[in-house]
Amino acid sequence: ALALAREPDLRYLIVGEGPLRERMREEVFRRGIESSFIFTGWLAHREVAQCMNLASCVLLPSASEGQALVCLEAQACGCPVVASDIDGNRELIENDVTGILVHPGDPRLLAEATLRVVSNPRLRNDIGLRARRSALDHSIDVIVSRYEKALTSMFEKAGKGRKGGKAF
């Protein structure tokens, strides 16, 4: 509602079936802003990238989260992410470089960051390009290679401490 007060043409696509979805719908109707919101429920995975490629930004205002796949998906699409400044998001987002982090639970800051991104095509493009490059560091090949190196190193160190020099 705060962002819509300043930019009434904004449209929000709410994807998923989380536990707060119905409360969110009720609040949207209570505030009379339902024409700015579309609630899709779950989307087929192939539809997610299409939505992100149409979006000006993706919002992740979670109070707690692991490393969110939706953040990586948005970054891979070159779509800027505005997210809560929490551990899981900090692993993927460098503030004002590969996304924007805001204090969790502060709707005013979320609205400000949203408006900043949607009103500035150059910022959106710059963050999107850097985010896309950053997402490559989290590809399955890169992650598997990192795990392999870490496990190999761990087993080699464990083997050196045993008689006979073998970890197994």
Side-chain angles (χ1 to χ4, degrees):
L2 295 171
L4 286 166
R6 290 190 21 215
E7 184 56 62
D9 292 334
L10 288 176
R11 296 297 174 261
Y12 292 86
L13 180 66
I14 310 299
V15 178
E17 296 284 342
L20 298 177
R21 182 176 185 262
E22 279 312 306
R23 276 186 43 204
M24 187 184 298
R25 280 179 67 96
E26 290 168 8
E27 187 66 17
V28 162
F29 279 93
R30 186 184 74 73
R31 291 175 183 241
I33 54 177
E34 65 274 5
S35 63
S36 297
F37 286 78
I38 299 168
F39 290 82
T40 66
W42 287 112
L43 294 177
H45 193 261
R46 67 184 177 280
E47 296 172 307
V48 172
Q50 292 171 337
C51 289
M52 289 181 183
N53 285 325
L54 294 173
S56 296
C57 67
V58 169
L59 305 179
L60 292 172
S62 304
S64 64
E65 186 90 50
Q67 194 177 69
L69 181 58
V70 69
C71 183
L72 279 171
E73 290 170 328
Q75 289 178 319
C77 290
C79 184
V81 176
V82 175
S84 298
D85 188 2
I86 56 177
D87 289 341
N89 293 335
R90 270 187 244 115
E91 290 179 23
L92 300 174
I93 296 172
E94 182 180 349
N95 193 33
D96 285 333
V97 177
T98 59
I100 297 177
L101 296 170
V102 297
H103 184 75
D106 190 331
R108 184 185 56 76
L109 291 176
L110 183 64
E112 290 295 327
T114 302
L115 291 168
R116 187 172 149 226
V117 171
V118 300
S119 67
N120 188 334
R122 183 180 177 126
L123 174 69
R124 210 169 43 243
N125 185 60
D126 290 348
I127 287 176
L129 288 173
R130 290 188 301 258
R132 183 179 221 148
R133 279 187 235 120
S134 175
L136 294 174
D137 288 339
H138 298 277
S139 72
I140 190 72
D141 293 335
V142 170
I143 298 301
V144 167
S145 175
R146 286 181 186 158
Y147 272 113
E148 180 183 27
K149 286 177 186 172
L151 291 171
T152 300
S153 173
M154 187 173 66
F155 285 124
E156 286 173 355
K157 287 177 185 175
K160 289 178 183 174
R162 295 175 161 233
K163 289 186 179 183
K166 293 186 179 180
F168 303 99

